[in-house]
Amino acid sequence: MSTNVVVTGLGATTPLGGDVASTWKAALAGESGARTLDNDWAEKYGIGVNFAAQIKVKPEEVLARPEMKKMDPSAQYAIIATREAWADAGSPDVDPTRLGAVVSSGIGGIWTTLDGWDTLRERGGRRVLPMTVPMLMPNSPAAYVELEIGAQAGAHALVSACASGAEAIGYAVDMIRLGRADVVVAGGTEACLHPMPLAAFAASRTLSQRNDNPAGASRPYDQDRDGFVMAEGAGIVVLESEEHAKARGAKIYAQVSGVGLSSDAYHLTSPEPTGRGQIAAMTMSLKNAGVDLSDVHHVNAHATSTTVGDLIEARAVRTLFGDNADQIKLSATKSLTGHLLGGAGALETIFTVLAVHDRVAPPTINVDNPDPELTLDLVRDTPRELPRGDIAALNNSFGFGGHNVALVVRNA
Amino acid sequence: MAYTEQEVLAGLAEIVAEETGLAVETVTADKSFVDDLDIDSLSIMTIVTHAEDKFEVTIPDEAAKDFNTVGDAVNFIVGAQG
């Protein structure tokens, strides 16, 4: 019998709020986190997109200045979310050799990288700060979380672009199941709202160009969707073996009971059109969780609001679930938060956990005219109730590189 | 324009405070960076980088390595000014 893994703590800093409670409340209210950028990048650098979903509460409002200066923003967000999640879990007294950390970023410490390069070019090598490397390295957020909680059972940073946050949580579940740890703090973070990545994503034509209406730009499954909205933030969960959680009388939100992974082996950036890899990941996660197709009542879709990607996933869900898909309430929460890239899979796991815990599927906004090819029950504009009793939900996350991750969440 | 010893100490204390979160007034000339102020080697190098910038001097690694107290750094910087 494999170990049950439960969620005992949640933490986040997002475009909707500085913590989980405010983020979830804003999500259920159907608020958008996207705004016109509070800077002159678009004009100054000639970037075609002048909006994004910036985090609502700036790190300087939460962190002490000396600690902030030693962290890339991606690590700052991860630490803010970790402190909330750890406190939410009751700051448990865990044997440090049984405590792990898995925190991913899709892009890494790009502010630090580019600031260091600017300093080097403008002021020379002696002005490049000694902390530059430990701040820019992609495992830096994982290392800071490891230090924060004193985790000695391993600290890891799995990188799979926009699937990174979900893959981190999947790996953490596996660590507990394999007996390497009893408690693992896991999630994803992203802080790449810098003009260079903004220009680069804009150049790849994957971003929405709806400059006149940022809040209406992320519109998964709407006929007029034209790309995703860049966002930043972090989501962190405390995962724990059910035995460990129960022994200490912890509050349990839900179980993460299935992990499914696959890779498309098709194209660097385009998802495989038949959804073969996505179906494989979802199938594996359900089998891994020991749940039937008929147990699943909610899917938090990857759905980034791109023309091609949204429908491939929707078709994959329909193909896999068949008639059982009729009972699934589909939510595309990137319509609210924008796309947190490496943070997305973690934040959306938090949403899925809360959906199962609170029995409510969060809304998808901006779907004025649903794509006629969508045959699933999309939760639009207002939250919808999920059934009582034992239910399962699925969180899908896919990334450039053909990475597919599906996580199954069940009620506790 | 050369900085006086007083000005260098005050400026260095500000850099140390900014880097470590210590109160400026605790950064006095007699304090050891490592033993009294508990500053690690990477932070000392960061402080040296900022000090070079602020006082427009070059502090070679061999010199920085020998800084035990804040006063050692102040003396070096005062002496290194043009």
Side-chain angles (χ1 to χ4, degrees), chain B residues 8-44:
Chain B
V8 172
L9 177 60
L12 194 62
E14 270 173 34
I15 292 169
V16 172
E18 173 81 8
E19 181 63 20
T20 61
L22 293 166
V24 178
E25 55 273 19
T26 62
V27 187
T28 50
D30 59 319
K31 294 280 171 65
S32 158
F33 284 108
V34 177
D35 298 333
D36 298 324
L37 302 177
D38 195 26
I39 301 176
D40 64 30
S41 59
L42 212 50
S43 294
I44 292 174

Side-chain angles (χ1 to χ4, degrees), chain A residues 65-67 69-70 123 126-131 134, chain B residues 18-21 42-43 45-46 49-50 52-53 59:
Chain A
R65 197 168 151 74
E67 69 176 345
K69 284 173 50 116
K70 293 186 174 67
R123 314 193 57 213
R126 286 196 74 82
R127 293 290 170 270
V128 175
L129 292 171
M131 276 296 289
Chain B
E18 173 81 8
E19 181 63 20
T20 61
L42 212 50
S43 294
M45 292 318 297
T46 303
T49 304
H50 288 307
E52 285 191 332
D53 200 23
I59 306 174

Side-chain angles (χ1 to χ4, degrees), chain A residues 18 89 227 245 306 311 315 328 351 394:
Chain A
T306 59
L311 275 185
R315 285 195 209 104
I328 290 173
F351 285 157
L394 202 57

Side-chain angles (χ1 to χ4, degrees), chain A residues 39-322:
Chain A
N39 54 51
D40 61 352
W41 297 343
E43 200 177 316
K44 185 172 177 187
Y45 301 113
I47 305 171
V49 175
N50 72 357
F51 65 98
Q54 296 174 283
I55 57 165
K56 190 144 194 183
V57 177
K58 302 291 176 212
E60 47 269 37
E61 296 176 42
V62 188
L63 299 176
R65 197 168 151 74
E67 69 176 345
M68 236 184 91
K69 284 173 50 116
K70 293 186 174 67
M71 296 179 200
D72 181 81
S74 59
Q76 294 167 9
Y77 302 170
I79 283 296
I80 291 167
T82 294
R83 286 180 183 161
E84 182 193 359
W86 194 243
D88 187 39
S91 306
D93 187 15
V94 184
D95 172 359
T97 65
R98 304 289 302 158
L99 176 61
V102 190
V103 183
S104 299
S105 162
I107 307 285
I110 197 153
W111 272 100
T112 302
T113 306
L114 296 174
D115 282 352
W117 174 231
D118 288 345
T119 302
L120 176 63
R121 281 188 312 174
E122 290 162 16
R123 314 193 57 213
R126 286 196 74 82
R127 293 290 170 270
V128 175
L129 292 171
M131 276 296 289
T132 303
V133 170
M135 284 167 64
L136 69 78
M137 60 193 193
N139 58 314
S140 193
Y144 272 108
V145 171
E146 165 209 334
L147 291 167
E148 175 75 18
I149 57 170
Q152 296 180 21
H156 310 279
L158 289 94
V159 178
S160 48
C162 303
S164 299
E167 190 164 353
I169 292 171
Y171 189 82
V173 169
D174 288 346
M175 281 175 78
I176 295 171
R177 286 176 166 174
L178 289 168
R180 291 186 190 145
D182 296 321
V183 181
V184 182
V185 172
T189 183
E190 204 72 83
C192 69
L193 289 181
H194 176 288
M196 195 284 278
L198 182 69
F201 275 118
S204 72
R205 307 296 190 272
T206 49
L207 292 184
S208 168
Q209 311 259 340
R210 219 173 273 264
N211 288 330
D212 55 345
N213 181 16
S218 186
R219 45 203 310 123
Y221 302 118
D222 181 76
Q223 282 186 47
D224 297 320
R225 64 191 182 277
D226 70 332
F228 73 85
V229 174
M230 268 180 85
E232 59 176 351
I236 295 283
V237 298
V238 178
L239 296 163
E240 195 163 349
S241 75
E242 188 174 26
E243 193 187 349
H244 192 277
K246 285 194 166 158
R248 69 179 186 89
K251 160 192 69 188
I252 296 174
Y253 284 99
Q255 311 174 46
V256 181
S257 56
V259 180
L261 306 160
S262 74
S263 42
D264 282 350
Y266 171 76
H267 188 272
L268 191 62
T269 55
S270 301
E272 194 280 326
T274 67
R276 151 173 62 73
Q278 299 180 2
I279 291 170
M282 287 188 274
T283 305
M284 186 191 293
S285 70
L286 296 170
K287 197 175 163 200
N288 190 237
V291 306
D292 296 325
L293 296 172
S294 60
D295 296 326
V296 178
H297 288 266
H298 171 56
V299 172
N300 187 307
H302 181 66
T304 62
S305 183
T306 59
T307 330
V308 179
D310 291 7
L311 275 185
I312 291 176
E313 180 183 12
R315 285 195 209 104
V317 170
R318 176 54 81 181
T319 303
L320 172 62
F321 283 89

